[in-house]
Amino acid sequence: MIVPDPDETGPLRQVYGTFPSGVVAVCALRDAAPVGIVASSFVAVSMNPPLVSVCVQHTSTTWPLLADRPRLGLSVLGTTHDRVCRQIASKTGDRFAGIGYTTTGEGAVLLHGAAAWLDCSIDRVISAGDHDLVLLRVEGMQPHDKVAPLVFHGSRLHALSTLAS
């Protein structure tokens, strides 16, 4: 067994990368313009009350622009969103140029072509190491059954090819 070394994150990143996860865009309007981040740490937490979570690095410069929004739109990215994922995660340029989206009356931004939409409010934020665990209450949702989700595995984006039987 390798003991995690906080000064050498490569082995830990490799181990974390063995677990495939979905990818969500967390977006809202700020000053009438869309703002967003991408998270591969999306987790369904509770059915009653309906709660989900994402983890956000303390070093994020975008999260502070989202943290005070009344509603956040979570778009479960679809297999056609590989470019969209990279663009929203980019540190430069217009992150929403050419990306279709819908907004709710409360300011959540939901991306077109997503596998599902969740309209969320922040329930609480818990500091956890070098990230914040953001617990979100699901206020509304819309599945898009014909859209397959994008998957993050081994530090790369993938489309699901077939389901195991």
mmCIF file with all atom_site columns, all heavy atoms in Angstrom, residues 14 16 18 25 55 58 61 66 73 79-80 85 90 106 117 137 144-145 150 163:
data_model
loop_
_atom_site.group_PDB
_atom_site.id
_atom_site.type_symbol
_atom_site.label_atom_id
_atom_site.label_alt_id
_atom_site.label_comp_id
_atom_site.label_asym_id
_atom_site.label_entity_id
_atom_site.label_seq_id
_atom_site.pdbx_PDB_ins_code
_atom_site.Cartn_x
_atom_site.Cartn_y
_atom_site.Cartn_z
_atom_site.occupancy
_atom_site.B_iso_or_equiv
_atom_site.pdbx_formal_charge
_atom_site.auth_seq_id
_atom_site.auth_comp_id
_atom_site.auth_asym_id
_atom_site.auth_atom_id
_atom_site.pdbx_PDB_model_num
ATOM 1   N N   . GLN A 1 14  ? -4.082  9.453  -9.534  1.00 0.00 ? 14  GLN A N   1
ATOM 2   C CA  . GLN A 1 14  ? -4.221  8.235  -10.340 1.00 0.00 ? 14  GLN A CA  1
ATOM 3   C C   . GLN A 1 14  ? -5.261  7.298  -9.726  1.00 0.00 ? 14  GLN A C   1
ATOM 4   O O   . GLN A 1 14  ? -6.110  6.750  -10.432 1.00 0.00 ? 14  GLN A O   1
ATOM 5   C CB  . GLN A 1 14  ? -2.877  7.528  -10.461 1.00 0.00 ? 14  GLN A CB  1
ATOM 6   C CG  . GLN A 1 14  ? -2.934  6.283  -11.314 1.00 0.00 ? 14  GLN A CG  1
ATOM 7   C CD  . GLN A 1 14  ? -1.596  5.563  -11.367 1.00 0.00 ? 14  GLN A CD  1
ATOM 8   O OE1 . GLN A 1 14  ? -0.632  5.924  -10.708 1.00 0.00 ? 14  GLN A OE1 1
ATOM 9   N NE2 . GLN A 1 14  ? -1.542  4.515  -12.172 1.00 0.00 ? 14  GLN A NE2 1
ATOM 10  N N   . TYR A 1 16  ? -7.738  8.145  -7.606  1.00 0.00 ? 16  TYR A N   1
ATOM 11  C CA  . TYR A 1 16  ? -9.052  8.780  -7.744  1.00 0.00 ? 16  TYR A CA  1
ATOM 12  C C   . TYR A 1 16  ? -9.580  8.632  -9.169  1.00 0.00 ? 16  TYR A C   1
ATOM 13  O O   . TYR A 1 16  ? -10.777 8.480  -9.392  1.00 0.00 ? 16  TYR A O   1
ATOM 14  C CB  . TYR A 1 16  ? -8.988  10.263 -7.378  1.00 0.00 ? 16  TYR A CB  1
ATOM 15  C CG  . TYR A 1 16  ? -8.873  10.564 -5.900  1.00 0.00 ? 16  TYR A CG  1
ATOM 16  C CD1 . TYR A 1 16  ? -8.696  11.865 -5.473  1.00 0.00 ? 16  TYR A CD1 1
ATOM 17  C CD2 . TYR A 1 16  ? -8.916  9.573  -4.930  1.00 0.00 ? 16  TYR A CD2 1
ATOM 18  C CE1 . TYR A 1 16  ? -8.584  12.184 -4.131  1.00 0.00 ? 16  TYR A CE1 1
ATOM 19  C CE2 . TYR A 1 16  ? -8.806  9.871  -3.580  1.00 0.00 ? 16  TYR A CE2 1
ATOM 20  C CZ  . TYR A 1 16  ? -8.642  11.180 -3.188  1.00 0.00 ? 16  TYR A CZ  1
ATOM 21  O OH  . TYR A 1 16  ? -8.537  11.496 -1.865  1.00 0.00 ? 16  TYR A OH  1
ATOM 22  N N   . THR A 1 18  ? -9.405  6.200  -11.130 1.00 0.00 ? 18  THR A N   1
ATOM 23  C CA  . THR A 1 18  ? -9.919  4.866  -11.481 1.00 0.00 ? 18  THR A CA  1
ATOM 24  C C   . THR A 1 18  ? -11.424 4.777  -11.321 1.00 0.00 ? 18  THR A C   1
ATOM 25  O O   . THR A 1 18  ? -12.036 3.821  -11.785 1.00 0.00 ? 18  THR A O   1
ATOM 26  C CB  . THR A 1 18  ? -9.255  3.763  -10.625 1.00 0.00 ? 18  THR A CB  1
ATOM 27  O OG1 . THR A 1 18  ? -9.621  3.935  -9.254  1.00 0.00 ? 18  THR A OG1 1
ATOM 28  C CG2 . THR A 1 18  ? -7.746  3.763  -10.796 1.00 0.00 ? 18  THR A CG2 1
ATOM 29  N N   . ALA A 1 25  ? -22.060 20.809 -15.314 1.00 0.00 ? 25  ALA A N   1
ATOM 30  C CA  . ALA A 1 25  ? -21.755 22.234 -15.357 1.00 0.00 ? 25  ALA A CA  1
ATOM 31  C C   . ALA A 1 25  ? -22.648 22.881 -14.308 1.00 0.00 ? 25  ALA A C   1
ATOM 32  O O   . ALA A 1 25  ? -23.848 22.596 -14.239 1.00 0.00 ? 25  ALA A O   1
ATOM 33  C CB  . ALA A 1 25  ? -22.043 22.808 -16.738 1.00 0.00 ? 25  ALA A CB  1
ATOM 34  N N   . CYS A 1 55  ? -18.093 19.176 -5.344  1.00 0.00 ? 55  CYS A N   1
ATOM 35  C CA  . CYS A 1 55  ? -16.931 19.672 -4.609  1.00 0.00 ? 55  CYS A CA  1
ATOM 36  C C   . CYS A 1 55  ? -16.241 20.730 -5.462  1.00 0.00 ? 55  CYS A C   1
ATOM 37  O O   . CYS A 1 55  ? -16.089 20.550 -6.668  1.00 0.00 ? 55  CYS A O   1
ATOM 38  C CB  . CYS A 1 55  ? -15.968 18.535 -4.293  1.00 0.00 ? 55  CYS A CB  1
ATOM 39  S SG  . CYS A 1 55  ? -16.650 17.360 -3.115  1.00 0.00 ? 55  CYS A SG  1
ATOM 40  N N   . HIS A 1 58  ? -10.819 25.238 -3.286  1.00 0.00 ? 58  HIS A N   1
ATOM 41  C CA  . HIS A 1 58  ? -10.705 26.541 -2.626  1.00 0.00 ? 58  HIS A CA  1
ATOM 42  C C   . HIS A 1 58  ? -10.046 27.571 -3.527  1.00 0.00 ? 58  HIS A C   1
ATOM 43  O O   . HIS A 1 58  ? -10.287 28.768 -3.373  1.00 0.00 ? 58  HIS A O   1
ATOM 44  C CB  . HIS A 1 58  ? -9.900  26.417 -1.328  1.00 0.00 ? 58  HIS A CB  1
ATOM 45  C CG  . HIS A 1 58  ? -10.640 25.702 -0.244  1.00 0.00 ? 58  HIS A CG  1
ATOM 46  N ND1 . HIS A 1 58  ? -10.003 25.183 0.844   1.00 0.00 ? 58  HIS A ND1 1
ATOM 47  C CD2 . HIS A 1 58  ? -11.947 25.410 -0.071  1.00 0.00 ? 58  HIS A CD2 1
ATOM 48  C CE1 . HIS A 1 58  ? -10.885 24.607 1.640   1.00 0.00 ? 58  HIS A CE1 1
ATOM 49  N NE2 . HIS A 1 58  ? -12.071 24.738 1.088   1.00 0.00 ? 58  HIS A NE2 1
ATOM 50  N N   . THR A 1 61  ? -11.505 30.632 -8.837  1.00 0.00 ? 61  THR A N   1
ATOM 51  C CA  . THR A 1 61  ? -11.811 32.061 -8.908  1.00 0.00 ? 61  THR A CA  1
ATOM 52  C C   . THR A 1 61  ? -13.242 32.297 -9.402  1.00 0.00 ? 61  THR A C   1
ATOM 53  O O   . THR A 1 61  ? -13.759 33.407 -9.290  1.00 0.00 ? 61  THR A O   1
ATOM 54  C CB  . THR A 1 61  ? -10.818 32.787 -9.837  1.00 0.00 ? 61  THR A CB  1
ATOM 55  O OG1 . THR A 1 61  ? -10.850 32.177 -11.123 1.00 0.00 ? 61  THR A OG1 1
ATOM 56  C CG2 . THR A 1 61  ? -9.406  32.735 -9.259  1.00 0.00 ? 61  THR A CG2 1
ATOM 57  N N   . LEU A 1 66  ? -20.451 32.379 -8.038  1.00 0.00 ? 66  LEU A N   1
ATOM 58  C CA  . LEU A 1 66  ? -21.653 31.543 -8.016  1.00 0.00 ? 66  LEU A CA  1
ATOM 59  C C   . LEU A 1 66  ? -22.210 31.343 -6.605  1.00 0.00 ? 66  LEU A C   1
ATOM 60  O O   . LEU A 1 66  ? -23.402 31.091 -6.437  1.00 0.00 ? 66  LEU A O   1
ATOM 61  C CB  . LEU A 1 66  ? -21.332 30.165 -8.616  1.00 0.00 ? 66  LEU A CB  1
ATOM 62  C CG  . LEU A 1 66  ? -20.993 30.125 -10.092 1.00 0.00 ? 66  LEU A CG  1
ATOM 63  C CD1 . LEU A 1 66  ? -20.411 28.768 -10.470 1.00 0.00 ? 66  LEU A CD1 1
ATOM 64  C CD2 . LEU A 1 66  ? -22.236 30.434 -10.927 1.00 0.00 ? 66  LEU A CD2 1
ATOM 65  N N   . GLY A 1 73  ? -27.915 26.290 -11.776 1.00 0.00 ? 73  GLY A N   1
ATOM 66  C CA  . GLY A 1 73  ? -28.340 25.274 -12.721 1.00 0.00 ? 73  GLY A CA  1
ATOM 67  C C   . GLY A 1 73  ? -27.247 24.221 -12.845 1.00 0.00 ? 73  GLY A C   1
ATOM 68  O O   . GLY A 1 73  ? -26.095 24.557 -13.123 1.00 0.00 ? 73  GLY A O   1
ATOM 69  N N   . THR A 1 79  ? -22.815 13.415 -24.064 1.00 0.00 ? 79  THR A N   1
ATOM 70  C CA  . THR A 1 79  ? -21.638 12.975 -24.817 1.00 0.00 ? 79  THR A CA  1
ATOM 71  C C   . THR A 1 79  ? -21.185 13.977 -25.870 1.00 0.00 ? 79  THR A C   1
ATOM 72  O O   . THR A 1 79  ? -20.028 13.952 -26.278 1.00 0.00 ? 79  THR A O   1
ATOM 73  C CB  . THR A 1 79  ? -21.882 11.612 -25.491 1.00 0.00 ? 79  THR A CB  1
ATOM 74  O OG1 . THR A 1 79  ? -23.054 11.711 -26.303 1.00 0.00 ? 79  THR A OG1 1
ATOM 75  C CG2 . THR A 1 79  ? -22.049 10.519 -24.466 1.00 0.00 ? 79  THR A CG2 1
ATOM 76  N N   . THR A 1 80  ? -22.047 14.882 -26.283 1.00 0.00 ? 80  THR A N   1
ATOM 77  C CA  . THR A 1 80  ? -21.643 15.892 -27.266 1.00 0.00 ? 80  THR A CA  1
ATOM 78  C C   . THR A 1 80  ? -21.021 17.117 -26.604 1.00 0.00 ? 80  THR A C   1
ATOM 79  O O   . THR A 1 80  ? -20.646 18.066 -27.293 1.00 0.00 ? 80  THR A O   1
ATOM 80  C CB  . THR A 1 80  ? -22.846 16.342 -28.120 1.00 0.00 ? 80  THR A CB  1
ATOM 81  O OG1 . THR A 1 80  ? -23.805 16.961 -27.264 1.00 0.00 ? 80  THR A OG1 1
ATOM 82  C CG2 . THR A 1 80  ? -23.460 15.173 -28.861 1.00 0.00 ? 80  THR A CG2 1
ATOM 83  N N   . CYS A 1 85  ? -17.420 21.239 -22.160 1.00 0.00 ? 85  CYS A N   1
ATOM 84  C CA  . CYS A 1 85  ? -16.782 20.986 -20.872 1.00 0.00 ? 85  CYS A CA  1
ATOM 85  C C   . CYS A 1 85  ? -15.453 21.715 -20.780 1.00 0.00 ? 85  CYS A C   1
ATOM 86  O O   . CYS A 1 85  ? -15.172 22.425 -19.801 1.00 0.00 ? 85  CYS A O   1
ATOM 87  C CB  . CYS A 1 85  ? -16.598 19.482 -20.686 1.00 0.00 ? 85  CYS A CB  1
ATOM 88  S SG  . CYS A 1 85  ? -15.841 19.031 -19.126 1.00 0.00 ? 85  CYS A SG  1
ATOM 89  N N   . SER A 1 90  ? -12.250 26.411 -18.955 1.00 0.00 ? 90  SER A N   1
ATOM 90  C CA  . SER A 1 90  ? -11.110 27.232 -19.355 1.00 0.00 ? 90  SER A CA  1
ATOM 91  C C   . SER A 1 90  ? -10.944 28.437 -18.440 1.00 0.00 ? 90  SER A C   1
ATOM 92  O O   . SER A 1 90  ? -11.907 28.971 -17.900 1.00 0.00 ? 90  SER A O   1
ATOM 93  C CB  . SER A 1 90  ? -11.308 27.711 -20.794 1.00 0.00 ? 90  SER A CB  1
ATOM 94  O OG  . SER A 1 90  ? -10.314 28.624 -21.146 1.00 0.00 ? 90  SER A OG  1
ATOM 95  N N   . GLU A 1 106 ? -35.212 32.417 -11.703 1.00 0.00 ? 106 GLU A N   1
ATOM 96  C CA  . GLU A 1 106 ? -34.384 32.648 -10.513 1.00 0.00 ? 106 GLU A CA  1
ATOM 97  C C   . GLU A 1 106 ? -32.903 32.764 -10.859 1.00 0.00 ? 106 GLU A C   1
ATOM 98  O O   . GLU A 1 106 ? -32.061 32.878 -9.980  1.00 0.00 ? 106 GLU A O   1
ATOM 99  C CB  . GLU A 1 106 ? -34.588 31.532 -9.486  1.00 0.00 ? 106 GLU A CB  1
ATOM 100 C CG  . GLU A 1 106 ? -35.982 31.475 -8.898  1.00 0.00 ? 106 GLU A CG  1
ATOM 101 C CD  . GLU A 1 106 ? -36.969 30.725 -9.785  1.00 0.00 ? 106 GLU A CD  1
ATOM 102 O OE1 . GLU A 1 106 ? -36.537 30.028 -10.739 1.00 0.00 ? 106 GLU A OE1 1
ATOM 103 O OE2 . GLU A 1 106 ? -38.173 30.848 -9.537  1.00 0.00 ? 106 GLU A OE2 1
ATOM 104 N N   . TRP A 1 117 ? -31.278 18.249 -16.264 1.00 0.00 ? 117 TRP A N   1
ATOM 105 C CA  . TRP A 1 117 ? -31.149 19.565 -15.655 1.00 0.00 ? 117 TRP A CA  1
ATOM 106 C C   . TRP A 1 117 ? -31.616 19.481 -14.211 1.00 0.00 ? 117 TRP A C   1
ATOM 107 O O   . TRP A 1 117 ? -32.619 18.829 -13.919 1.00 0.00 ? 117 TRP A O   1
ATOM 108 C CB  . TRP A 1 117 ? -32.050 20.581 -16.351 1.00 0.00 ? 117 TRP A CB  1
ATOM 109 C CG  . TRP A 1 117 ? -31.636 21.020 -17.714 1.00 0.00 ? 117 TRP A CG  1
ATOM 110 C CD1 . TRP A 1 117 ? -30.405 20.906 -18.298 1.00 0.00 ? 117 TRP A CD1 1
ATOM 111 C CD2 . TRP A 1 117 ? -32.467 21.665 -18.678 1.00 0.00 ? 117 TRP A CD2 1
ATOM 112 N NE1 . TRP A 1 117 ? -30.421 21.454 -19.559 1.00 0.00 ? 117 TRP A NE1 1
ATOM 113 C CE2 . TRP A 1 117 ? -31.672 21.914 -19.813 1.00 0.00 ? 117 TRP A CE2 1
ATOM 114 C CE3 . TRP A 1 117 ? -33.797 22.055 -18.680 1.00 0.00 ? 117 TRP A CE3 1
ATOM 115 C CZ2 . TRP A 1 117 ? -32.184 22.558 -20.938 1.00 0.00 ? 117 TRP A CZ2 1
ATOM 116 C CZ3 . TRP A 1 117 ? -34.302 22.682 -19.797 1.00 0.00 ? 117 TRP A CZ3 1
ATOM 117 C CH2 . TRP A 1 117 ? -33.501 22.931 -20.926 1.00 0.00 ? 117 TRP A CH2 1
ATOM 118 N N   . ARG A 1 137 ? -29.871 21.716 -2.634  1.00 0.00 ? 137 ARG A N   1
ATOM 119 C CA  . ARG A 1 137 ? -31.254 21.225 -2.595  1.00 0.00 ? 137 ARG A CA  1
ATOM 120 C C   . ARG A 1 137 ? -31.829 21.318 -4.004  1.00 0.00 ? 137 ARG A C   1
ATOM 121 O O   . ARG A 1 137 ? -31.772 22.378 -4.633  1.00 0.00 ? 137 ARG A O   1
ATOM 122 C CB  . ARG A 1 137 ? -32.094 22.053 -1.632  1.00 0.00 ? 137 ARG A CB  1
ATOM 123 C CG  . ARG A 1 137 ? -33.560 21.590 -1.574  1.00 0.00 ? 137 ARG A CG  1
ATOM 124 C CD  . ARG A 1 137 ? -34.333 22.380 -0.568  1.00 0.00 ? 137 ARG A CD  1
ATOM 125 N NE  . ARG A 1 137 ? -33.922 22.047 0.775   1.00 0.00 ? 137 ARG A NE  1
ATOM 126 C CZ  . ARG A 1 137 ? -34.519 21.127 1.536   1.00 0.00 ? 137 ARG A CZ  1
ATOM 127 N NH1 . ARG A 1 137 ? -35.545 20.448 1.064   1.00 0.00 ? 137 ARG A NH1 1
ATOM 128 N NH2 . ARG A 1 137 ? -34.096 20.901 2.757   1.00 0.00 ? 137 ARG A NH2 1
ATOM 129 N N   . HIS A 1 144 ? -33.467 14.245 -19.606 1.00 0.00 ? 144 HIS A N   1
ATOM 130 C CA  . HIS A 1 144 ? -33.513 14.190 -21.069 1.00 0.00 ? 144 HIS A CA  1
ATOM 131 C C   . HIS A 1 144 ? -33.049 12.781 -21.440 1.00 0.00 ? 144 HIS A C   1
ATOM 132 O O   . HIS A 1 144 ? -31.863 12.554 -21.691 1.00 0.00 ? 144 HIS A O   1
ATOM 133 C CB  . HIS A 1 144 ? -32.626 15.279 -21.687 1.00 0.00 ? 144 HIS A CB  1
ATOM 134 C CG  . HIS A 1 144 ? -33.041 16.654 -21.290 1.00 0.00 ? 144 HIS A CG  1
ATOM 135 N ND1 . HIS A 1 144 ? -32.228 17.515 -20.613 1.00 0.00 ? 144 HIS A ND1 1
ATOM 136 C CD2 . HIS A 1 144 ? -34.225 17.307 -21.446 1.00 0.00 ? 144 HIS A CD2 1
ATOM 137 C CE1 . HIS A 1 144 ? -32.881 18.639 -20.379 1.00 0.00 ? 144 HIS A CE1 1
ATOM 138 N NE2 . HIS A 1 144 ? -34.089 18.535 -20.869 1.00 0.00 ? 144 HIS A NE2 1
ATOM 139 N N   . ASP A 1 145 ? -34.000 11.854 -21.436 1.00 0.00 ? 145 ASP A N   1
ATOM 140 C CA  . ASP A 1 145 ? -33.716 10.420 -21.545 1.00 0.00 ? 145 ASP A CA  1
ATOM 141 C C   . ASP A 1 145 ? -32.941 10.000 -22.779 1.00 0.00 ? 145 ASP A C   1
ATOM 142 O O   . ASP A 1 145 ? -32.245 9.002  -22.765 1.00 0.00 ? 145 ASP A O   1
ATOM 143 C CB  . ASP A 1 145 ? -35.024 9.626  -21.481 1.00 0.00 ? 145 ASP A CB  1
ATOM 144 C CG  . ASP A 1 145 ? -35.727 9.783  -20.145 1.00 0.00 ? 145 ASP A CG  1
ATOM 145 O OD1 . ASP A 1 145 ? -35.048 10.068 -19.137 1.00 0.00 ? 145 ASP A OD1 1
ATOM 146 O OD2 . ASP A 1 145 ? -36.963 9.639  -20.114 1.00 0.00 ? 145 ASP A OD2 1
ATOM 147 N N   . LEU A 1 150 ? -21.860 12.273 -20.391 1.00 0.00 ? 150 LEU A N   1
ATOM 148 C CA  . LEU A 1 150 ? -20.417 12.317 -20.549 1.00 0.00 ? 150 LEU A CA  1
ATOM 149 C C   . LEU A 1 150 ? -19.807 11.745 -19.263 1.00 0.00 ? 150 LEU A C   1
ATOM 150 O O   . LEU A 1 150 ? -20.337 11.966 -18.176 1.00 0.00 ? 150 LEU A O   1
ATOM 151 C CB  . LEU A 1 150 ? -19.981 13.770 -20.736 1.00 0.00 ? 150 LEU A CB  1
ATOM 152 C CG  . LEU A 1 150 ? -18.557 14.059 -21.173 1.00 0.00 ? 150 LEU A CG  1
ATOM 153 C CD1 . LEU A 1 150 ? -18.282 13.460 -22.553 1.00 0.00 ? 150 LEU A CD1 1
ATOM 154 C CD2 . LEU A 1 150 ? -18.318 15.564 -21.207 1.00 0.00 ? 150 LEU A CD2 1
ATOM 155 N N   . LEU A 1 163 ? -23.649 -0.691 -21.967 1.00 0.00 ? 163 LEU A N   1
ATOM 156 C CA  . LEU A 1 163 ? -23.834 -0.955 -20.550 1.00 0.00 ? 163 LEU A CA  1
ATOM 157 C C   . LEU A 1 163 ? -23.527 -2.417 -20.266 1.00 0.00 ? 163 LEU A C   1
ATOM 158 O O   . LEU A 1 163 ? -23.864 -3.299 -21.075 1.00 0.00 ? 163 LEU A O   1
ATOM 159 C CB  . LEU A 1 163 ? -25.265 -0.625 -20.130 1.00 0.00 ? 163 LEU A CB  1
ATOM 160 C CG  . LEU A 1 163 ? -25.666 0.829  -20.245 1.00 0.00 ? 163 LEU A CG  1
ATOM 161 C CD1 . LEU A 1 163 ? -27.155 1.003  -19.886 1.00 0.00 ? 163 LEU A CD1 1
ATOM 162 C CD2 . LEU A 1 163 ? -24.822 1.702  -19.358 1.00 0.00 ? 163 LEU A CD2 1
#
